[in-house]
Amino acid sequence: ESENLEIYPQPASNSIVLKGKELSGSDADITIYSISGQQVYAKNAAIIHGEIRLDISFLEPGMYLVKVGAGPRMFISRMIKK
């Protein structure tokens, strides 16, 4: 789990913001996995002022792992969807 990636709000309902000092470049590859390891979302998203905003309204309530690849860096953090 990365200390360098903040996901808020927690728990989330319809959208999340990923924020990190290490998030740089213009875009990042986002992958969200269910806690059982099944990939439920994959997208290339824009990084704007060190933040990525995502719509997660389609996800079922539960815990997820969010993986972010930005350039050579990789971040993994937990997210709770209510």
Side-chain angles (χ1 to χ4, degrees):
E1 187 165 346
S2 174
E3 298 295 321
N4 300 318
L5 183 67
E6 183 182 350
I7 300 177
Y8 61 90
Q10 290 272 16
S13 52
N14 293 322
S15 63
I16 55 171
V17 176
L18 311 176
K19 186 173 185 171
K21 293 177 188 166
E22 308 288 333
L23 279 181
S24 60
S26 59
D27 64 340
D29 293 317
I30 313 295
T31 312
I32 300 178
Y33 298 92
S34 68
I35 208 66
S36 64
Q38 179 183 3
Q39 181 179 310
V40 295
Y41 180 86
K43 181 182 178 182
N44 184 271
I47 300 173
I48 301 170
H49 303 300
E51 293 184 352
I52 299 168
R53 296 178 181 274
L54 295 178
D55 173 15
I56 59 159
S57 58
F58 61 92
L59 291 174
E60 295 294 319
M63 184 176 290
Y64 294 88
L65 291 176
V66 180
K67 185 168 96 174
V68 179
R73 303 197 59 100
M74 184 71 66
F75 309 96
I76 298 176
S77 195
R78 287 192 192 101
M79 171 191 75
I80 298 171
K81 166 84 161 57
K82 63 179 175 183

